[in-house]
Amino acid sequence: MTDGRPTPDQEALSKIDTTVPHSARIWNYWMGGKDNYEVDRVAGDAYREIAPNIETMARASRTYLIRTVTFVARERGIRQFLDIGTGLPTYDNTHEVAQKAAPDSRIVYVDNDPLVLRHAQALLTSTPEGVTDYVDADLHDPEAILESAGRILDFGKPVALMLMGILGHIQDYEKAKSIVSRLQAALPSGSYFVHYDSTDTDEELKRAQDGYDDTGAVPYVLRSPAQLAAYYEGLELLDPGIVSCPLWRPESGTSPTPTDVYGGVAHKP
């Protein structure tokens, strides 16, 4: 029984625009997920025709997430994760990876996409020892994110701040740097910054991105590895530095092929 008012799930569905492609849904498509629409598949196929490596990039970014989250949880003892711009759930999501390494991990996802909100219930699974929660907030307002996340996370203890493939959506570079700086400032000593973004290191990728941006979707700015390095200023960058994601501490015995997604992990002293 209801009082006639729309439920949060119905409100989220009403805000989904299926006439314009959306990056989270296209990424979901490239990752083999099913939470996408025809407009996303058309845009994803058009992108892939110009930059055929994009699907490899998408899957490499998830493998990188698995390695980095496992590392900070298992090797560095991090038990709190703030994952901003989480996107749609596919496989080996942050909470699953973190709680596999450390069952008492606490994870807060942040996004403001209505389809992600609709799927929040799928994200809100947790081990009995840990916590998983979802915050509906905009990266352009880091203070609001921190305030909401602070109800679940203890910012008196180390936190892993994760900005995975999201900063390219902040079109103004100086604003992107400011947002990162403000988020990092709230982290206590001993915290970690975990990040990746697609780069401007391939001409095919740049042409494909230009075509995507012309569809009316929210643009994504490809930046140079040197520009990405500014996000880590004031932190202790761990070896091997900011590198193509497959080259960040690859599994022993593997021969990874570089892609045009770069990232790194840094420690806040």
Side-chain angles (χ1 to χ4, degrees):
M1 296 291 290
T2 70
D3 58 6
R5 290 179 295 181
T7 65
D9 190 60
Q10 290 170 329
E11 288 183 349
L13 281 171
S14 71
K15 295 176 182 177
I16 297 172
D17 185 352
T18 61
T19 66
V20 177
H22 189 283
S23 61
R25 301 192 309 245
I26 295 173
W27 206 254
N28 176 268
Y29 173 52
W30 287 330
M31 295 272 287
K34 298 179 180 179
D35 297 308
N36 47 74
Y37 297 95
E38 180 66 19
V39 67
D40 307 306
R41 295 187 286 273
V42 170
D45 290 342
Y47 199 117
R48 185 168 46 199
E49 281 194 21
I50 300 172
N53 196 40
I54 188 62
E55 200 166 273
T56 299
M57 289 172 56
R59 295 178 186 275
S61 69
R62 181 50 54 105
T63 304
Y64 170 77
L65 181 150
I66 295 167
R67 291 202 310 278
T68 53
V69 170
T70 300
F71 170 78
V72 297
R74 187 172 291 162
E75 305 297 328
R76 298 302 173 99
I78 295 298
R79 297 295 181 265
Q80 301 190 108
F81 296 81
L82 178 57
D83 185 348
I84 303 175
T86 176
L88 292 162
T90 50
Y91 60 88
D92 289 331
N93 302 290
T94 297
H95 71 287
E96 296 167 322
V97 178
Q99 292 181 344
K100 181 179 180 181
D104 58 335
S105 295
R106 303 173 73 86
I107 297 90
V108 171
Y109 289 109
V110 181
D111 211 306
N112 71 332
D113 178 79
L115 192 58
V116 177
L117 179 60
R118 182 190 174 200
H119 285 276
Q121 194 62 44
L123 289 171
L124 299 183
T125 58
S126 177
T127 59
E129 305 95 323
V131 175
T132 306
D133 207 344
Y134 174 85
V135 171
D136 183 16
D138 193 320
L139 180 57
H140 288 86
D141 191 353
E143 285 73 27
I145 289 174
L146 293 166
E147 180 181 358
S148 296
R151 299 175 190 137
I152 302 297
L153 305 178
D154 180 356
F155 282 97
K157 298 178 181 178
V159 175
L161 168 65
M162 300 174 57
L163 295 172
M164 311 291 256
I166 189 66
L167 291 171
H169 288 302
I170 308 297
Q171 296 180 57
D172 184 286
Y173 179 51
E174 294 302 320
K175 186 168 187 178
K177 290 194 294 182
S178 173
I179 289 170
V180 174
S181 177
R182 286 147 65 190
L183 289 167
Q184 291 172 350
L187 304 178
S189 175
S191 294
Y192 285 83
F193 175 53
V194 186
H195 159 261
Y196 75 74
D197 267 300
S198 299
T199 57
D200 63 356
T201 45
D202 180 80
E203 289 302 319
E204 289 181 343
L205 189 67
K206 288 160 70 173
R207 285 196 297 112
Q209 190 62 51
D210 287 342
Y212 171 80
D213 292 344
D214 289 341
T215 64
V218 177
Y220 183 94
V221 181
L222 300 172
R223 296 187 168 113
S224 69
Q227 287 177 306
L228 301 187
Y231 300 147
Y232 298 78
E233 289 178 0
L235 305 178
E236 297 174 346
L237 189 61
L238 305 186
D239 289 337
I242 302 166
V243 296
S244 176
C245 286
L247 304 183
W248 195 90
R249 304 193 179 201
E251 297 293 334
S252 177
T254 63
S255 301
T257 301
T259 70
D260 298 286
V261 179
Y262 280 58
V265 177
H267 173 256
K268 183 172 181 177

